[in-house]
Amino acid sequence: MKAVNHILLVEDDCDLAHITEVFLTHAGYTVDVASTCAQAVSLLNQTTYQLVLLDSLLPDGKGNSLCPLIREKDGLCPIIFLSCLDDSESIISALDHGGDDYMVKPFKHVELLARIQANLRKREAYEAHHKQQEKNHLFEFSTFTVDTDLREVRRDGTVVPLSTIEYDLLLYLVRHPDTLLLYDELYENVWNSSSLGDTRTVMVHISSLRKKIGADRTGVIRTVRGAGYVFHDMQNTEGESL
C-alpha cells in the first residue's frame, strides 16, 4: 500500500488554513498546520514532509526564511508559496529562495490540488530515477559520469585522475542531490573523523574537484556561503546496466 503523503501547511489565516486542511485531508493527504515561522520550525524538526505549502508573510517573519531548513531536511521536498503578493519581484524572490511553485491568493483549491499532485509526481520521478542509477552502478551527468563498480569517474570519455578522498567526496555529493550538505557533515562522512571546525580542507578539495570534473563551469556543485554545498545537475540521464 502506498504511503500517504504528509504535507506541512504554513498559513496564518485561520479560516484559509482550516478550509485547506479539510480539503486536502479529503483528498487523501495528511496535513499539519503551522501559523508562524516558529511553529513551522518546530514541526520541521520533528517530522519528515513530502511537500510544504508556505505563506510568504507570517506574523514572526517571511516564509522564505524557512526554505534553507526545509532544503536541509529534504532537498527534494517541493515548496509551493501561497501569497497575496502578485508582483513579479515577490514571485521571483520566492522562487530564488527555493520555491518550486507560487500561487496567488485567493486561489481555487482544485488548482492547488493539481499543483500539489504535479510537484509530487516530479519528486517521485526524480527519486525513482536516482534509485535506478544506484542499481545500475552508473551516475551520468552533464559533464561527467561516475561508475561505482570501477570507482571511476570519466569526463568526455576520459578517466579523470581523482584521489581516494576526491572520489569519496564526489560520490557523497551525487548520492545526496539537491540537499544542503554542511561542511561538518561532509568532513565526518568522507574523512571519517570529526571536523573540529576544519572547513578549509573541505573547501580546497571541492575546488580541486570542480576543476577536474568541469563543475567550475557548470555550477553543479553550488556553494551555500557559510554553510556547505549543494549538488545539482538538471541534465543527469539514466545510466545503463554495466
Side-chain angles (χ1 to χ4, degrees), residues 56-71:
S56 60
L57 298 174
L58 295 161
D60 56 345
K62 293 184 177 181
N64 58 28
S65 67
L66 296 171
C67 289
L69 176 59
I70 297 170
R71 289 284 175 250

Side-chain angles (χ1 to χ4, degrees), residues 144-146 153 162 165-175 190 209 213 221 231:
F144 66 95
T145 61
V146 180
V153 176
L162 297 180
I165 286 293
E166 287 174 337
Y167 175 84
D168 290 343
L169 179 58
L170 178 60
L171 188 60
Y172 194 84
L173 288 166
V174 302
R175 281 179 167 165
V190 176
L209 198 54
I213 65 174
I221 303 176
F231 180 84

Side-chain angles (χ1 to χ4, degrees), residues 1-212:
M1 182 176 179
K2 187 176 180 180
V4 175
N5 283 305
H6 204 162
I7 294 175
L8 174 61
L9 169 61
V10 188
E11 172 60 63
D12 66 331
D13 182 326
C14 295
D15 291 336
L16 177 59
H18 176 69
I19 293 171
T20 304
E21 179 185 10
V22 171
F23 180 85
L24 294 179
T25 299
H26 281 305
Y29 297 98
T30 297
V31 182
D32 289 342
V33 179
S35 60
T36 65
C37 288
Q39 290 177 4
V41 169
S42 178
L43 288 170
L44 285 165
N45 284 326
Q46 298 174 42
T47 308
T48 298
Y49 294 99
Q50 281 67 56
L51 184 140
V52 175
L53 299 173
L54 186 57
D55 190 359
S56 60
L57 298 174
L58 295 161
D60 56 345
K62 293 184 177 181
N64 58 28
S65 67
L66 296 171
C67 289
L69 176 59
I70 297 170
R71 289 284 175 250
E72 179 182 341
K73 296 296 180 182
D74 182 352
L76 298 179
C77 180
I79 301 172
I80 301 178
F81 275 89
L82 308 176
S83 177
C84 58
L85 304 175
D86 61 356
D87 59 287
S88 297
E89 184 177 345
S90 296
I91 296 172
I92 292 171
S93 176
L95 298 177
D96 282 346
H97 276 84
D100 296 283
D101 207 343
Y102 192 101
M103 293 193 69
V104 177
K105 303 175 186 176
F107 52 80
K108 295 180 179 179
H109 280 83
V110 289
E111 182 181 346
L112 174 63
L113 179 60
R115 296 203 186 198
I116 288 173
Q117 292 171 338
N119 276 278
L120 288 174
R121 282 196 299 271
K122 290 179 184 177
R123 175 194 174 115
E124 290 168 1
Y126 192 99
E127 289 177 333
H129 172 65
H130 195 71
K131 288 178 181 177
Q132 185 63 40
Q133 287 188 314
E134 283 275 20
K135 181 180 178 181
N136 293 337
H137 311 291
L138 183 66
F139 293 90
E140 296 186 350
F141 302 100
S142 55
T143 63
F144 66 95
T145 61
V146 180
D147 187 327
T148 58
D149 272 352
L150 300 177
R151 285 183 62 86
E152 189 175 83
V153 176
R154 288 181 175 269
R155 179 181 176 186
D156 298 326
T158 302
V159 175
V160 179
L162 297 180
S163 67
T164 299
I165 286 293
E166 287 174 337
Y167 175 84
D168 290 343
L169 179 58
L170 178 60
L171 188 60
Y172 194 84
L173 288 166
V174 302
R175 281 179 167 165
H176 300 83
D178 296 304
T179 301
L180 174 58
L181 302 175
L182 304 178
Y183 294 120
D184 288 346
E185 176 185 352
L186 287 169
Y187 196 100
E188 290 168 7
N189 284 279
V190 176
W191 279 264
N192 295 312
S193 64
S194 177
S195 70
L196 299 177
D198 181 6
T199 60
R200 180 160 179 76
T201 296
V202 178
M203 293 169 68
V204 169
H205 281 81
I206 287 288
S207 177
S208 174
L209 198 54
R210 279 172 167 160
K211 293 175 182 176
K212 290 184 177 181

